[in-house]
Amino acid sequence: MPRYRLLIEYDGRGFVGWQRQSNGTTVQQALEEAVHAFSGESPEVVGAGRTDSGVHALGQAAHLDLETDRFAPEKLKLATNAHLREVPVVVLEAHLAEPEFHARFSATGRKYLYRISNRSAPPALDAGRVWHVARALDVDAMSAAAKTLLGNHDFTSFRAVQCQAASPVKTLDRLDVLRVADEVHVVAEARSFLHHQVRNFVGTLALVGHGRWSPSDVNAALDARDRSAAGPTAPPDGLYLTEVVYGEPGAAAREQLWS
């Protein structure tokens, strides 16, 4: 039973998130139906992260198992994409993985980008792909505030009330705020994140960018360990899962040959 590792890109608009649900179409469902269409099998496509409704991915990772070994990775990629033509989901890469590889539990890091369109005119081409904030943001102040969140902390103030993580303690490795032309980018990196954590960071940092909060206010919100003490949740439109980080693949997976 071969296990495949996939690299996936998708536009989150029109989906109710990654994970299969009863209230609408999901990215996982689209992929599983595409694989079933050409293989006749019904594997579970296991993602590295359960992105929310409206959240996008440039580098989502996933794995799946098939009963048959007749599909080389490139053939699986092409066949899956052929059956995804009607939805904004694409398999960028497919590789054979070792049996113990798990898209979620083998990951050693996740990287996110949040895009804010910071201009007076609303976006036309990027509508639904950025958060439009018309009022100018003070990026230097936001960057200083972001630094107070780095490291190992109890992030209760920045996780969704419905977050199901066993512990609110996480280690935030990177939280940078950058101006890129008329956009403000927030880049976050950690081994794993809590539900809505990045969006809650962004909503809080926007308060700093507008001069309503100071970096010390952000630190006080962190120390409060209370969701109501932090800022609002930024919309999903601007959030992208850009990369899932893994260690080096094992020799068996690297050396497997496909005819």
Side-chain angles (χ1 to χ4, degrees):
M1 175 183 288
R3 172 160 291 188
Y4 300 87
R5 171 174 157 181
L6 308 179
L7 179 66
I8 304 160
E9 175 183 277
Y10 53 85
D11 184 330
R13 295 177 299 173
F15 294 107
V16 296
W18 166 269
Q19 190 175 20
R20 270 189 179 267
Q21 300 176 44
S22 60
N23 62 331
T25 303
T26 66
V27 180
Q28 182 185 40
Q29 176 187 343
L31 286 160
E32 289 173 351
E33 290 178 353
V35 173
H36 175 76
F38 73 82
S39 70
E41 298 186 32
S42 299
E44 178 184 8
V45 178
V46 179
R50 298 173 181 177
T51 53
D52 290 333
S53 175
V55 174
H56 318 292
L58 302 175
Q60 171 71 287
H63 78 260
L64 64 91
D65 299 329
L66 291 181
E67 295 291 338
T68 178
D69 61 0
R70 60 193 174 94
F71 296 105
E74 184 68 11
K75 182 177 180 181
L76 180 137
K77 182 186 82 170
L78 295 174
T80 303
N81 285 338
H83 290 280
L84 288 170
R85 287 190 296 264
E86 302 302 317
V87 293
V89 181
V90 173
V91 177
L92 299 173
E93 297 179 13
H95 303 280
L96 184 70
E98 293 182 337
E100 64 271 20
F101 172 79
H102 193 285
R104 180 181 176 191
F105 299 122
S106 298
T108 59
R110 292 166 176 81
K111 302 180 182 182
Y112 284 90
L113 164 68
Y114 196 99
R115 296 173 58 199
I116 302 173
S117 175
N118 192 212
R119 67 185 193 188
S120 59
L125 298 180
D126 280 328
R129 297 191 179 96
V130 295
W131 178 24
H132 178 233
V133 177
R135 182 180 169 191
L137 292 166
D138 183 338
V139 171
D140 290 339
M142 293 171 69
S143 181
K147 297 296 184 286
T148 70
L149 297 170
L150 293 174
N152 182 261
H153 301 287
D154 180 327
F155 284 107
T156 296
S157 297
F158 297 94
R159 73 166 175 171
V161 173
Q162 67 271 32
C163 179
Q164 298 179 356
S167 170
V169 177
K170 296 289 181 182
T171 300
L172 182 64
D173 299 315
R174 179 184 181 189
L175 189 64
D176 289 342
V177 184
L178 314 164
R179 182 167 289 282
V180 181
D182 60 3
E183 292 189 7
V184 174
H185 290 181
V186 179
V187 180
E189 298 181 10
R191 184 180 183 91
S192 62
F193 289 88
L194 301 164
H195 191 196
H196 286 178
Q197 186 176 356
V198 177
R199 291 167 59 191
N200 291 336
F201 284 160
V202 174
T204 301
L205 293 175
L207 295 177
V208 178
H210 285 148
R212 295 171 57 190
W213 278 31
S214 68
S216 61
D217 291 325
V218 176
N219 192 55
L222 174 66
D223 290 341
R225 301 180 183 179
D226 181 346
R227 177 67 192 99
S228 65
T233 304
D237 307 42
L239 185 59
Y240 296 75
L241 173 58
T242 59
E243 185 181 352
V244 181
V245 181
Y246 297 97
E248 285 296 312
R254 290 197 304 267
E255 295 173 5
Q256 175 71 40
L257 299 177
W258 289 84
S259 59

